[in-house]
């Protein structure tokens, strides 16, 4: 795949085994997965052996995570990395949240997540390197994808754009997007 648009409306919702929420898979590879999770209430996170996670609240007021005895506030639109195999408990002091969740198999892949501000004047044009997967997900309304031939494709909140060959992805508009980079470990 060179570049493709992934639509929020096509992500299938799957309930969690513990009943605490639902997950929508955005994209995955052999050693990684990107999903959006609706967390309905307090409770433990699932245990994922040999997995690293980056979680980013994209709706709601954030959460308090306690993992391996350490308590951490995770604020909205602030990526937070932690080991998926550490005992983790979640508290939602201000109600339900929706999280962008990136998981990679430790020692086989790594992920970097950051929130980019796209402005009307310049836009955002992150480049995808060789042997890298680049996903961009608008976390606000108002963004469009500009294709190499000059056409625009409107993007809804939490749609995705995936690129897995070298080149740039050009976003225009006014809003914010999550930039997710996944690379295979050497």
């Amino acid at each position: 795949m060179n570049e493709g648009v992934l639509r929020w409306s096509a992500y299938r919702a799957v309930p969690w085994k513990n009943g605490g929420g639902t997950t929508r898979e955005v994209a995955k590879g052999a050693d990684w997965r990107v999903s959006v999770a609706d967390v309905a209430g307090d409770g433990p996170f699932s245990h994922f052996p040999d997995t690293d996670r980056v979680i980013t609240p994209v709706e709601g007021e954030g959460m308090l995570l306690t993992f391996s005895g350490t308590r951490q506030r995770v604020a909205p639109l602030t990526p937070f990395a932690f080991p998926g195999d550490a005992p983790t408990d979640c508290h939602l002091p201000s109600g339900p949240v929706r999280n962008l969740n990136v998981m990679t198999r430790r020692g086989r892949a790594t992920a970097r997540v950051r929130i980019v501000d796209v402005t009307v004047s310049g836009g955002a044009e992150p480049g995808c390197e060789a042997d890298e997967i680049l996903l961009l997900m608008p976390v606000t309304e108002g963004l469009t994808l500009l294709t190499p031939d000059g056409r625009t494709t409107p993007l809804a909140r939490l749609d995705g754009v995936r690129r897995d060959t070298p080149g740039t992805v050009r976003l225009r508009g006014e809003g914010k997007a999550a930039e997710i980079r996944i690379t295979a470990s050497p």
Side-chain angles (χ1 to χ4, degrees), residues 45 47 65-72 80 82-90 106:
F45 274 18
H47 180 81
L65 293 184
T66 304
F67 66 98
S68 299
T70 302
R71 191 171 204 172
Q72 175 71 41
F80 177 69
F82 65 103
D85 46 10
T88 304
D89 193 62
C90 174
R106 191 172 301 128

Side-chain angles (χ1 to χ4, degrees), residues 13 24 47 54 63 65 71 75 86 107 129 149 156 167 177 183:
R24 290 173 176 85
H47 180 81
V54 181
M63 64 187 122
L65 293 184
R71 191 171 204 172
E129 303 297 326
D149 62 4
T183 54

